[in-house]
Amino acid sequence: MFYSLQYRYKKWRLKKRAAKTPLKALLDTSGIDTTQSVSDTRFLVVDCEMSGLDVNSCQLLSIGWVVIENNRLVNSSSRHLLIHADRGAGDSTRIHGLHDASIAGAKSAASVLTLLIKQMVNSVLVFHHAPIDIRFLQKTAYENYRCPLLFPYLDTMALEKRRLAMQGKHEGLRLAQCRERYGLASVTQHNALADARATAELLLAQISHLGNADKLLLGRLDLRC
């Protein structure tokens, strides 16, 4: 219910500002029904790499995504797009492996965001530690369209934190630590697509832990917007 009220209010508030932008496609939908089953939900699992963590001074360098439909990972939906950053790859090169030469001549942030928006329609986005990725996506949307994005999303880190809290536990919440608790293989490659796929596998494991995906309602997964 809280998600529905939030979504309707934000949609009403943004519709005029987004009227002539690609963001309009996200507002023309009726929104996600929290009473639909998880297996009937299309999830778009997204990960971003940035030149640093400060949203005011750093930029997006790449975005990766993969789709989950019918409770299965759709390999053919995988995309990994590099983004040209006029301030370079920054200090986080040792984390994501992207250098200035990697992103030279890459697509603009606006064109990559437009491709992502087409995938976002009628989907629930999924992130691991959503606040950071969302801050950069919203900054990019505002810089290019003077309007923020509106979309429903799940955070696998928040889901795991809630599950552990219900068990009275306080354990590590990094992606690798969460995957290990479900018996998922460790992932050595680190880029936006590899992390999106690793997050998708984690979400499927979390859903399986909660019960039958055909009967599990989306509203049980702490949907946000």
Side-chain angles (χ1 to χ4, degrees), residues 123-217:
S123 300
V124 172
L125 270 68
V126 181
F127 305 89
H128 190 76
H129 195 16
I132 292 179
D133 294 67
I134 289 177
R135 276 201 292 271
F136 277 88
L137 290 174
Q138 296 293 23
K139 175 194 174 188
T140 305
Y142 195 80
E143 286 177 344
N144 287 282
Y145 305 117
R146 312 302 296 174
C147 184
L149 301 159
L150 179 62
F151 55 88
Y153 70 91
L154 296 175
D155 187 339
T156 51
M157 178 182 281
L159 285 173
E160 188 67 2
K161 185 177 181 179
R162 185 178 70 173
R163 185 181 77 85
L164 291 171
M166 291 175 66
Q167 298 174 356
K169 298 179 180 177
H170 300 280
E171 299 180 10
L173 293 170
R174 298 176 71 88
L175 181 56
Q177 294 170 316
C178 294
R179 284 176 58 89
E180 186 177 0
R181 280 192 286 273
Y182 292 90
L184 297 170
S186 59
V187 178
T188 54
Q189 187 182 8
H190 181 77
N191 63 40
L193 177 56
D195 286 354
R197 291 180 61 86
T199 300
E201 291 170 355
L202 173 60
L203 177 65
L204 290 174
Q206 290 173 320
I207 290 171
S208 178
H209 179 79
L210 287 170
N212 186 335
D214 292 330
K215 296 180 179 178
L216 181 65
L217 301 184

Side-chain angles (χ1 to χ4, degrees), residues 5-17 27 150:
L5 291 173
Q6 266 196 324
Y7 179 84
R8 280 185 286 180
Y9 171 71
K10 289 182 178 179
K11 182 178 178 180
W12 169 79
R13 192 164 56 86
L14 296 175
K15 206 158 188 179
K16 188 174 180 180
R17 292 169 62 186
L27 301 174
L150 179 62

